[in-house]
Amino acid sequence: MPRAGAPSCGARAVVAAVYVPAAALAGWSLGHTLWGGLHQPGVALAFGVLIAVGELVGSGSAAGAGRPPGEREGAPLGAAGALAYALLGAVGGRPTTHGVAQIVAVVLAAGLVGLVRQLARGAGPGPDHLARRVLSIGFAATCFQPLYNTGTLHAWVASGPFYPLFMIALMALTALCDAVLAAALARARTGWPYGPLLRDELRALPGIGSAICATGVVIALATAVVGLWALPVFCLPLLLTQFAFRRYAAVRATYRQTLASLARSTEIAGYTPHGHARRVAALSRAVGREMGLHGPDLDVLEHAALLHDIGQLSLVDPVPGGATAPLPPDRQRRIALLGGAVVRQTGAPAEVAGIVERQADPFRDQPVTARIVRTVNAYDDLSGGSAGPGGALHALERLRLATARDHEPRVVEALARVLACEGRAV
């Protein structure tokens, strides 16, 4: 859940610390390349087209999937092509003559093609993505090209498997640096804790990250032997993988929309206020991230928060205002158990149904996800969904007074921090 308000001075400093070196490297590369001209323009054009196509295909998935900031690489084919060009030492047995400046310039020009489409559609990772790409490719090219062109690399790893192993190690280091940059920019843009963001980025490296690095290395090695024909041959598997990921993202988006529609049934039937489930889900996810949850745990938390009131459909008469907290414990438990039974019928993970079923348990017996949903639900009931600071402060005061019996203090304080960053509680 993005946080409202202007970025803090620290956030602006982080963004500047990434953008200024990226802009300086981009300006130097373009100037150097324009002054000296393109070396081996056919090779540069082939890799530029590959990277641009990868960026265009990836920007479409980025917009469609609606990925939050800091999520996975949106253009794996473009990233693999850029890494391959940075590691390219020969084409068809003939040494290359391009250097670091031309590599960055070609990657920048191709990346701008994808960026223009993203900005035109008002979606996608935008300039952050391009700044990271320039810095990571500049790092890989700077580590590889001087060593290769001076013969130092061949002196170190002259034969056997050590040459590709060196390239793989360099790709892993490059991916690690990119993950650090991605997490830092996401922290600056959203205000979410840096640790969980970095863990999310690092968890992606063995998956799509390893596929990107491996494809980049294979393209560079194959192009050195067979020439530019290696580009379409060895890019095809990654392209098919990218389309498979897009289909998977579309399925996940459809599933979430189905849950959101099911959650709205209590609003349509008049059991809960309009927008209650959506507000609780968004705020629960933000509180969970504030408390260090990440990845699948956040998805489970959000889905449970969407469906936490579904058991109210079993009531003959709606609860006034949709608030179940004032009800007797036995009625609360009955609503929670019936809600869990309904959730299980949707095919949702057992963890989601478990959170819904345990909403009426004492908070000390609940998992942290159930505690978050319980507290955020109570906050929305008490504040009436108001975005004003007065309603938020009053609701938080009520929650703090109930921490001895109904709510975990850690969750309440995390909620207070989220609300303060959004400007609701000041």
Side-chain angles (χ1 to χ4, degrees):
M1 182 176 180
R3 297 183 177 182
S8 66
C9 293
R12 289 194 293 267
V14 170
V15 174
V18 175
Y19 273 46
V20 170
L25 178 58
W28 171 77
S29 300
L30 288 174
H32 189 279
T33 303
L34 291 174
W35 180 265
L38 276 177
H39 296 271
Q40 298 175 310
V43 177
L45 178 62
F47 276 91
V49 169
L50 172 63
I51 298 168
V53 169
E55 294 289 343
L56 288 173
V57 174
S59 67
S61 65
R67 294 190 315 273
E71 208 172 274
R72 307 291 77 81
E73 171 62 56
L77 183 59
L83 289 172
Y85 194 44
L87 298 182
L88 191 64
V91 177
R94 293 176 296 178
T96 57
T97 56
H98 63 263
V100 175
Q102 180 171 313
I103 291 171
V104 175
V106 169
V107 170
L108 175 63
L112 287 173
V113 175
L115 179 62
V116 168
R117 183 186 179 192
Q118 293 163 16
L119 294 178
R121 297 177 56 160
D128 286 0
H129 168 77
L130 187 58
R132 286 170 42 210
R133 180 62 53 80
V134 166
L135 290 177
S136 60
I137 295 304
F139 172 79
T142 302
C143 292
F144 180 83
Q145 291 295 328
L147 294 177
Y148 184 90
N149 294 331
T150 59
T152 305
L153 183 58
H154 284 286
W156 288 354
V157 287
S159 61
F162 299 105
Y163 180 60
L165 287 177
F166 171 80
M167 298 173 73
I168 292 173
L170 178 57
M171 289 299 91
L173 186 59
T174 302
L176 179 62
C177 294
D178 184 65
V180 172
L181 289 177
L185 286 172
R187 172 72 175 88
R189 299 299 188 192
T190 65
W192 296 340
Y194 180 75
L197 289 171
L198 181 59
R199 285 197 295 271
D200 283 349
E201 295 293 337
L202 295 178
R203 279 187 170 87
L205 295 184
I208 189 65
S210 62
I212 293 171
C213 293
T215 303
V217 171
V218 168
I219 291 175
L221 293 174
T223 303
V225 177
V226 303
L228 296 178
W229 287 107
L231 296 184
V233 173
F234 290 95
C235 285
L236 185 59
L238 186 60
L239 184 60
L240 295 176
T241 302
Q242 181 169 341
F243 283 126
F245 270 105
R246 290 181 65 178
R247 290 181 64 87
Y248 173 70
V251 170
R252 288 188 61 187
T254 301
Y255 174 70
R256 190 189 182 284
Q257 291 170 2
T258 301
L259 292 183
S261 299
L262 180 61
R264 287 195 63 223
S265 62
T266 58
E267 301 172 11
I268 296 172
Y271 285 87
T272 57
H274 177 71
H276 172 72
R278 175 182 52 81
R279 291 192 301 269
V280 172
L283 194 52
S284 292
R285 189 178 184 96
V287 172
R289 192 177 286 276
E290 183 72 25
M291 295 184 67
L293 301 182
H294 49 81
D297 292 335
L298 286 175
D299 291 337
V300 168
L301 173 62
E302 183 179 14
H303 295 162
L306 276 172
L307 300 173
H308 73 281
D309 272 332
I310 198 69
Q312 290 201 41
L313 293 175
S314 64
L315 300 177
V316 176
D317 297 316
V319 178
T324 57
L327 296 178
D330 58 333
R331 290 194 66 190
Q332 292 186 36
R333 185 173 300 278
R334 177 175 175 272
I335 293 172
L337 291 176
L338 289 172
V342 172
V343 173
R344 293 184 190 279
Q345 296 300 315
T346 67
E351 295 89 342
V352 175
I355 294 172
V356 174
E357 288 174 341
R358 302 186 65 177
Q359 286 302 293
D361 294 351
F363 82 84
R364 293 179 178 82
D365 299 331
Q366 294 175 323
V368 65
T369 46
R371 299 177 188 182
I372 292 172
V373 175
R374 179 192 186 116
T375 298
V376 173
N377 175 53
Y379 165 79
D380 195 77
D381 288 339
L382 292 171
S383 64
S386 171
L393 287 173
H394 175 72
L396 281 175
E397 182 181 358
R398 294 278 301 274
L399 292 176
R400 287 187 173 113
L401 292 174
T403 51
R405 182 171 54 90
D406 295 326
H407 303 286
E408 181 183 0
R410 211 164 48 98
V411 176
V412 175
E413 294 310 313
L415 173 61
R417 290 194 298 271
V418 170
L419 295 174
C421 289
E422 291 177 354
R424 296 197 213 176
V426 294

CSV table of all heavy atoms in Angstrom, one decimal, residues 226-260:
chain,number,residue,atom,x,y,z
A,226,VAL,N,29.7,-18.9,-32.7
A,226,VAL,CA,28.9,-19.1,-33.9
A,226,VAL,C,28.4,-17.7,-34.5
A,226,VAL,O,27.8,-17.7,-35.5
A,226,VAL,CB,27.6,-20.0,-33.7
A,226,VAL,CG1,28.1,-21.3,-33.1
A,226,VAL,CG2,26.7,-19.3,-32.7
A,227,GLY,N,28.6,-16.6,-33.8
A,227,GLY,CA,28.2,-15.4,-34.3
A,227,GLY,C,26.8,-14.9,-33.8
A,227,GLY,O,26.3,-15.5,-32.9
A,228,LEU,N,26.3,-14.0,-34.5
A,228,LEU,CA,25.0,-13.4,-34.1
A,228,LEU,C,23.8,-14.3,-34.3
A,228,LEU,O,22.7,-14.0,-33.7
A,228,LEU,CB,24.7,-12.1,-34.9
A,228,LEU,CG,25.8,-10.9,-34.7
A,228,LEU,CD1,25.4,-9.8,-35.6
A,228,LEU,CD2,25.8,-10.5,-33.2
A,229,TRP,N,24.0,-15.4,-35.0
A,229,TRP,CA,22.9,-16.4,-35.1
A,229,TRP,C,22.5,-17.0,-33.7
A,229,TRP,O,21.4,-17.5,-33.5
A,229,TRP,CB,23.2,-17.5,-36.0
A,229,TRP,CG,23.2,-17.1,-37.5
A,229,TRP,CD1,24.3,-16.9,-38.3
A,229,TRP,CD2,22.0,-16.8,-38.2
A,229,TRP,NE1,23.9,-16.5,-39.5
A,229,TRP,CE2,22.5,-16.5,-39.5
A,229,TRP,CE3,20.7,-16.9,-38.0
A,229,TRP,CZ2,21.6,-16.1,-40.5
A,229,TRP,CZ3,19.8,-16.5,-39.0
A,229,TRP,CH2,20.2,-16.2,-40.3
A,230,ALA,N,23.4,-16.8,-32.8
A,230,ALA,CA,23.2,-17.4,-31.4
A,230,ALA,C,22.1,-16.6,-30.7
A,230,ALA,O,21.4,-17.1,-29.8
A,230,ALA,CB,24.4,-17.4,-30.6
A,231,LEU,N,21.9,-15.3,-31.1
A,231,LEU,CA,20.9,-14.5,-30.4
A,231,LEU,C,19.5,-15.0,-30.4
A,231,LEU,O,18.9,-15.3,-29.4
A,231,LEU,CB,20.9,-13.0,-30.9
A,231,LEU,CG,22.3,-12.3,-30.7
A,231,LEU,CD1,22.1,-10.9,-31.2
A,231,LEU,CD2,22.7,-12.3,-29.3
A,232,PRO,N,18.9,-15.3,-31.6
A,232,PRO,CA,17.5,-15.8,-31.6
A,232,PRO,C,17.4,-17.2,-31.0
A,232,PRO,O,16.4,-17.6,-30.4
A,232,PRO,CB,17.1,-15.7,-33.1
A,232,PRO,CG,18.4,-15.8,-33.8
A,232,PRO,CD,19.4,-15.0,-33.0
A,233,VAL,N,18.5,-18.0,-31.3
A,233,VAL,CA,18.4,-19.4,-30.8
A,233,VAL,C,18.4,-19.5,-29.3
A,233,VAL,O,17.5,-20.2,-28.7
A,233,VAL,CB,19.6,-20.2,-31.4
A,233,VAL,CG1,19.6,-21.6,-30.8
A,233,VAL,CG2,19.5,-20.3,-32.9
A,234,PHE,N,19.3,-18.8,-28.6
A,234,PHE,CA,19.4,-18.9,-27.2
A,234,PHE,C,18.5,-18.0,-26.4
A,234,PHE,O,18.4,-18.1,-25.2
A,234,PHE,CB,20.8,-18.7,-26.8
A,234,PHE,CG,21.7,-19.8,-27.2
A,234,PHE,CD1,22.5,-19.7,-28.4
A,234,PHE,CD2,21.8,-21.0,-26.5
A,234,PHE,CE1,23.3,-20.8,-28.8
A,234,PHE,CE2,22.6,-22.0,-26.9
A,234,PHE,CZ,23.4,-21.9,-28.0
A,235,CYS,N,17.8,-17.0,-27.1
A,235,CYS,CA,16.9,-16.2,-26.4
A,235,CYS,C,15.5,-16.8,-26.4
A,235,CYS,O,14.6,-16.4,-25.5
A,235,CYS,CB,16.8,-14.8,-27.1
A,235,CYS,SG,18.2,-13.7,-26.8
A,236,LEU,N,15.2,-17.7,-27.3
A,236,LEU,CA,13.9,-18.3,-27.3
A,236,LEU,C,13.4,-18.9,-26.0
A,236,LEU,O,12.3,-18.7,-25.6
A,236,LEU,CB,13.8,-19.3,-28.5
A,236,LEU,CG,12.4,-19.9,-28.7
A,236,LEU,CD1,11.4,-18.8,-29.1
A,236,LEU,CD2,12.5,-20.9,-29.9
A,237,PRO,N,14.2,-19.8,-25.3
A,237,PRO,CA,13.8,-20.4,-24.1
A,237,PRO,C,13.4,-19.3,-23.0
A,237,PRO,O,12.3,-19.5,-22.4
A,237,PRO,CB,15.0,-21.2,-23.6
A,237,PRO,CG,15.7,-21.5,-24.8
A,237,PRO,CD,15.6,-20.3,-25.7
A,238,LEU,N,14.2,-18.3,-22.9
A,238,LEU,CA,13.9,-17.2,-21.9
A,238,LEU,C,12.6,-16.5,-22.3
A,238,LEU,O,11.8,-16.1,-21.5
A,238,LEU,CB,15.0,-16.3,-21.7
A,238,LEU,CG,14.9,-15.2,-20.6
A,238,LEU,CD1,14.7,-15.9,-19.3
A,238,LEU,CD2,16.1,-14.3,-20.6
A,239,LEU,N,12.4,-16.3,-23.6
A,239,LEU,CA,11.2,-15.6,-24.1
A,239,LEU,C,10.0,-16.4,-23.7
A,239,LEU,O,8.9,-15.9,-23.3
A,239,LEU,CB,11.3,-15.3,-25.6
A,239,LEU,CG,10.1,-14.6,-26.2
A,239,LEU,CD1,10.0,-13.2,-25.6
A,239,LEU,CD2,10.3,-14.5,-27.7
A,240,LEU,N,10.0,-17.7,-24.0
A,240,LEU,CA,8.9,-18.6,-23.6
A,240,LEU,C,8.7,-18.6,-22.1
A,240,LEU,O,7.5,-18.6,-21.7
A,240,LEU,CB,9.2,-20.0,-24.1
A,240,LEU,CG,9.3,-20.2,-25.6
A,240,LEU,CD1,9.6,-21.6,-26.0
A,240,LEU,CD2,8.0,-19.8,-26.3
A,241,THR,N,9.8,-18.6,-21.3
A,241,THR,CA,9.6,-18.5,-19.9
A,241,THR,C,8.9,-17.2,-19.5
A,241,THR,O,8.1,-17.2,-18.6
A,241,THR,CB,11.0,-18.6,-19.2
A,241,THR,OG1,11.6,-19.9,-19.6
A,241,THR,CG2,10.9,-18.6,-17.7
A,242,GLN,N,9.3,-16.1,-20.1
A,242,GLN,CA,8.7,-14.9,-19.8
A,242,GLN,C,7.2,-14.9,-20.1
A,242,GLN,O,6.4,-14.4,-19.3
A,242,GLN,CB,9.3,-13.7,-20.6
A,242,GLN,CG,8.7,-12.4,-20.3
A,242,GLN,CD,9.6,-11.2,-20.9
A,242,GLN,OE1,10.7,-11.4,-21.2
A,242,GLN,NE2,9.0,-10.1,-21.0
A,243,PHE,N,6.8,-15.5,-21.2
A,243,PHE,CA,5.3,-15.6,-21.5
A,243,PHE,C,4.6,-16.4,-20.5
A,243,PHE,O,3.5,-16.2,-20.1
A,243,PHE,CB,5.1,-16.1,-22.9
A,243,PHE,CG,5.4,-15.1,-24.0
A,243,PHE,CD1,6.2,-15.3,-25.0
A,243,PHE,CD2,4.7,-13.8,-23.9
A,243,PHE,CE1,6.5,-14.4,-26.0
A,243,PHE,CE2,4.9,-12.9,-24.9
A,243,PHE,CZ,5.8,-13.2,-26.0
A,244,ALA,N,5.3,-17.5,-20.0
A,244,ALA,CA,4.7,-18.4,-19.0
A,244,ALA,C,4.5,-17.6,-17.7
A,244,ALA,O,3.5,-17.7,-17.0
A,244,ALA,CB,5.6,-19.6,-18.8
A,245,PHE,N,5.5,-16.8,-17.3
A,245,PHE,CA,5.4,-15.9,-16.1
A,245,PHE,C,4.2,-14.9,-16.2
A,245,PHE,O,3.5,-14.7,-15.3
A,245,PHE,CB,6.7,-15.2,-15.8
A,245,PHE,CG,7.6,-16.0,-14.9
A,245,PHE,CD1,8.7,-16.6,-15.5
A,245,PHE,CD2,7.4,-16.1,-13.6
A,245,PHE,CE1,9.6,-17.3,-14.7
A,245,PHE,CE2,8.2,-16.8,-12.8
A,245,PHE,CZ,9.4,-17.4,-13.3
A,246,ARG,N,4.0,-14.4,-17.4
A,246,ARG,CA,2.9,-13.5,-17.6
A,246,ARG,C,1.6,-14.1,-17.5
A,246,ARG,O,0.7,-13.6,-16.9
A,246,ARG,CB,3.1,-12.8,-19.0
A,246,ARG,CG,4.2,-11.9,-19.2
A,246,ARG,CD,4.3,-11.3,-20.6
A,246,ARG,NE,3.1,-10.4,-20.8
A,246,ARG,CZ,2.9,-9.8,-22.0
A,246,ARG,NH1,3.8,-9.8,-22.9
A,246,ARG,NH2,1.9,-9.0,-22.1
A,247,ARG,N,1.5,-15.4,-18.0
A,247,ARG,CA,0.2,-16.1,-17.8
A,247,ARG,C,0.0,-16.4,-16.3
A,247,ARG,O,-1.1,-16.3,-15.8
A,247,ARG,CB,0.3,-17.4,-18.6
A,247,ARG,CG,0.2,-17.2,-20.1
A,247,ARG,CD,0.2,-18.5,-20.9
A,247,ARG,NE,-1.0,-19.3,-20.6
A,247,ARG,CZ,-2.1,-19.2,-21.2
A,247,ARG,NH1,-2.3,-18.3,-22.2
A,247,ARG,NH2,-3.2,-19.9,-20.8
A,248,TYR,N,1.1,-16.8,-15.6
A,248,TYR,CA,0.9,-17.0,-14.2
A,248,TYR,C,0.5,-15.8,-13.5
A,248,TYR,O,-0.4,-15.8,-12.6
A,248,TYR,CB,2.3,-17.5,-13.7
A,248,TYR,CG,2.3,-17.7,-12.2
A,248,TYR,CD1,1.6,-18.7,-11.5
A,248,TYR,CD2,3.1,-16.9,-11.4
A,248,TYR,CE1,1.6,-18.9,-10.1
A,248,TYR,CE2,3.1,-17.0,-10.0
A,248,TYR,CZ,2.4,-18.0,-9.4
A,248,TYR,OH,2.4,-18.1,-8.0
A,249,ALA,N,1.1,-14.6,-13.8
A,249,ALA,CA,0.7,-13.4,-13.2
A,249,ALA,C,-0.8,-13.0,-13.5
A,249,ALA,O,-1.5,-12.5,-12.6
A,249,ALA,CB,1.6,-12.2,-13.7
A,250,ALA,N,-1.2,-13.3,-14.7
A,250,ALA,CA,-2.6,-13.1,-15.1
A,250,ALA,C,-3.5,-13.9,-14.2
A,250,ALA,O,-4.6,-13.5,-13.8
A,250,ALA,CB,-2.8,-13.3,-16.5
A,251,VAL,N,-3.1,-15.2,-14.0
A,251,VAL,CA,-4.0,-16.1,-13.2
A,251,VAL,C,-4.1,-15.6,-11.8
A,251,VAL,O,-5.1,-15.6,-11.2
A,251,VAL,CB,-3.4,-17.5,-13.3
A,251,VAL,CG1,-4.1,-18.4,-12.2
A,251,VAL,CG2,-3.5,-18.1,-14.7
A,252,ARG,N,-2.9,-15.2,-11.2
A,252,ARG,CA,-2.9,-14.6,-9.9
A,252,ARG,C,-3.8,-13.4,-9.8
A,252,ARG,O,-4.5,-13.2,-8.8
A,252,ARG,CB,-1.5,-14.3,-9.4
A,252,ARG,CG,-0.6,-15.5,-9.2
A,252,ARG,CD,0.7,-15.1,-8.6
A,252,ARG,NE,0.5,-14.4,-7.3
A,252,ARG,CZ,1.5,-13.8,-6.6
A,252,ARG,NH1,2.7,-13.8,-7.1
A,252,ARG,NH2,1.2,-13.2,-5.4
A,253,ALA,N,-3.7,-12.5,-10.8
A,253,ALA,CA,-4.5,-11.3,-10.8
A,253,ALA,C,-6.0,-11.7,-10.8
A,253,ALA,O,-6.9,-11.0,-10.1
A,253,ALA,CB,-4.2,-10.4,-11.9
A,254,THR,N,-6.4,-12.6,-11.6
A,254,THR,CA,-7.8,-13.1,-11.7
A,254,THR,C,-8.3,-13.7,-10.4
A,254,THR,O,-9.4,-13.4,-10.0
A,254,THR,CB,-7.9,-14.1,-12.9
A,254,THR,OG1,-7.5,-13.5,-14.1
A,254,THR,CG2,-9.4,-14.5,-13.0
A,255,TYR,N,-7.4,-14.4,-9.8
A,255,TYR,CA,-7.7,-15.0,-8.5
A,255,TYR,C,-8.0,-14.0,-7.5
A,255,TYR,O,-9.0,-14.0,-6.7
A,255,TYR,CB,-6.6,-16.0,-8.1
A,255,TYR,CG,-6.8,-16.6,-6.7
A,255,TYR,CD1,-7.8,-17.5,-6.4
A,255,TYR,CD2,-6.0,-16.2,-5.6
A,255,TYR,CE1,-8.0,-18.0,-5.2
A,255,TYR,CE2,-6.1,-16.7,-4.4
A,255,TYR,CZ,-7.1,-17.6,-4.1
A,255,TYR,OH,-7.3,-18.1,-2.9
A,256,ARG,N,-7.1,-13.0,-7.4
A,256,ARG,CA,-7.3,-11.9,-6.4
A,256,ARG,C,-8.6,-11.1,-6.7
A,256,ARG,O,-9.3,-10.7,-5.8
A,256,ARG,CB,-6.1,-11.0,-6.4
A,256,ARG,CG,-6.2,-10.0,-5.3
A,256,ARG,CD,-5.1,-8.9,-5.4
A,256,ARG,NE,-5.2,-8.0,-4.2
A,256,ARG,CZ,-6.1,-7.1,-4.1
A,256,ARG,NH1,-7.1,-6.9,-5.0
A,256,ARG,NH2,-6.1,-6.3,-3.0
A,257,GLN,N,-8.9,-10.9,-8.0
A,257,GLN,CA,-10.2,-10.2,-8.3
A,257,GLN,C,-11.4,-11.0,-7.9
A,257,GLN,O,-12.4,-10.5,-7.5
A,257,GLN,CB,-10.2,-9.9,-9.8
A,257,GLN,CG,-9.2,-8.9,-10.3
A,257,GLN,CD,-9.0,-8.8,-11.8
A,257,GLN,OE1,-9.7,-9.5,-12.5
A,257,GLN,NE2,-8.1,-7.9,-12.2
A,258,THR,N,-11.2,-12.3,-8.0
A,258,THR,CA,-12.3,-13.2,-7.6
A,258,THR,C,-12.6,-13.1,-6.1
A,258,THR,O,-13.7,-13.0,-5.6
A,258,THR,CB,-12.1,-14.7,-8.0
A,258,THR,OG1,-11.9,-14.8,-9.4
A,258,THR,CG2,-13.2,-15.6,-7.5
A,259,LEU,N,-11.5,-13.1,-5.3
A,259,LEU,CA,-11.6,-12.9,-3.9
A,259,LEU,C,-12.2,-11.6,-3.5
A,259,LEU,O,-13.0,-11.4,-2.6
A,259,LEU,CB,-10.2,-13.1,-3.2
A,259,LEU,CG,-9.6,-14.5,-3.3
A,259,LEU,CD1,-8.3,-14.5,-2.5
A,259,LEU,CD2,-10.5,-15.5,-2.7
A,260,ALA,N,-11.7,-10.5,-4.2
A,260,ALA,CA,-12.3,-9.2,-4.0
A,260,ALA,C,-13.8,-9.1,-4.2
A,260,ALA,O,-14.5,-8.5,-3.5
A,260,ALA,CB,-11.5,-8.2,-4.8
